[in-house]
Coordinates of all heavy atoms in Angstrom, one line a residue:
V37 N -10.0 -36.9 -45.5 CA -10.0 -36.4 -44.1 C -10.3 -35.0 -44.0 O -9.7 -34.1 -44.7 CB -8.6 -36.7 -43.5 CG1 -8.6 -36.3 -42.0 CG2 -8.2 -38.2 -43.6
S38 N -11.3 -34.6 -43.2 CA -11.7 -33.2 -43.0 C -11.5 -32.7 -41.6 O -11.5 -33.5 -40.7 CB -13.2 -33.1 -43.4 OG -13.5 -33.5 -44.7
S39 N -11.2 -31.4 -41.5 CA -11.0 -30.8 -40.3 C -11.2 -29.3 -40.4 O -10.8 -28.7 -41.4 CB -9.6 -31.1 -39.7 OG -9.4 -30.3 -38.5
P40 N -11.7 -28.6 -39.4 CA -11.8 -27.1 -39.4 C -10.4 -26.5 -39.4 O -10.2 -25.4 -39.9 CB -12.5 -26.8 -38.1 CG -13.3 -28.0 -37.7 CD -12.4 -29.2 -38.2
K291 N -9.2 -32.0 -46.5 CA -10.3 -31.0 -46.9 C -10.7 -30.2 -45.7 O -10.8 -30.7 -44.6 CB -11.5 -31.7 -47.5 CG -11.2 -32.6 -48.7 CD -12.5 -33.2 -49.3 CE -13.4 -32.1 -49.9 NZ -14.5 -32.7 -50.6
P292 N -11.0 -28.9 -45.9 CA -11.6 -28.1 -44.9 C -13.0 -28.7 -44.6 O -13.7 -29.3 -45.4 CB -11.8 -26.7 -45.5 CG -10.9 -26.7 -46.7 CD -10.8 -28.1 -47.2
G293 N -13.4 -28.6 -43.3 CA -14.7 -29.0 -42.9 C -14.7 -29.8 -41.6 O -13.7 -29.8 -40.9
R294 N -15.7 -30.6 -41.4 CA -15.8 -31.4 -40.1 C -15.4 -32.8 -40.4 O -15.7 -33.3 -41.5 CB -17.2 -31.3 -39.5 CG -17.6 -29.9 -39.0 CD -19.0 -30.0 -38.4 NE -20.0 -30.4 -39.3 CZ -21.2 -30.7 -39.0 NH1 -21.6 -30.6 -37.8 NH2 -22.1 -31.1 -39.9
E295 N -14.8 -33.5 -39.5 CA -14.4 -34.9 -39.7 C -15.6 -35.8 -39.9 O -15.5 -36.7 -40.7 CB -13.6 -35.4 -38.4 CG -13.2 -36.9 -38.5 CD -12.3 -37.2 -39.6 OE1 -11.6 -36.3 -40.1 OE2 -12.3 -38.3 -40.1
E296 N -16.7 -35.5 -39.4 CA -17.9 -36.3 -39.6 C -18.3 -36.4 -41.0 O -18.8 -37.4 -41.5 CB -19.1 -35.8 -38.8 CG -18.9 -35.9 -37.2 CD -18.1 -34.9 -36.6 OE1 -17.6 -34.0 -37.4 OE2 -17.9 -34.9 -35.4
E297 N -18.0 -35.3 -41.8 CA -18.3 -35.4 -43.2 C -17.6 -36.4 -43.9 O -18.1 -37.1 -44.8 CB -18.1 -34.0 -43.8 CG -19.0 -32.8 -43.2 CD -18.5 -31.5 -43.7 OE1 -17.5 -31.4 -44.5 OE2 -19.1 -30.5 -43.3
A298 N -16.3 -36.6 -43.6 CA -15.5 -37.6 -44.3 C -15.9 -39.0 -43.8 O -15.9 -39.9 -44.6 CB -14.0 -37.3 -44.0
A299 N -16.3 -39.1 -42.5 CA -16.7 -40.4 -42.0 C -17.9 -40.9 -42.7 O -18.2 -42.1 -42.6 CB -16.8 -40.3 -40.5
R300 N -18.7 -40.1 -43.3 CA -20.0 -40.5 -43.9 C -19.8 -40.9 -45.4 O -20.7 -41.3 -46.0 CB -21.0 -39.4 -43.8 CG -21.6 -39.1 -42.4 CD -22.9 -38.3 -42.5 NE -22.6 -37.0 -43.1 CZ -22.4 -35.9 -42.4 NH1 -22.3 -36.0 -41.1 NH2 -22.2 -34.8 -43.0

Side-chain angles (χ1 to χ4, degrees):
V37 180
S38 299
S39 170
K291 298 183 69 172
R294 294 183 301 172
E295 175 62 24
E296 291 80 1
E297 296 171 1
R300 288 197 297 267

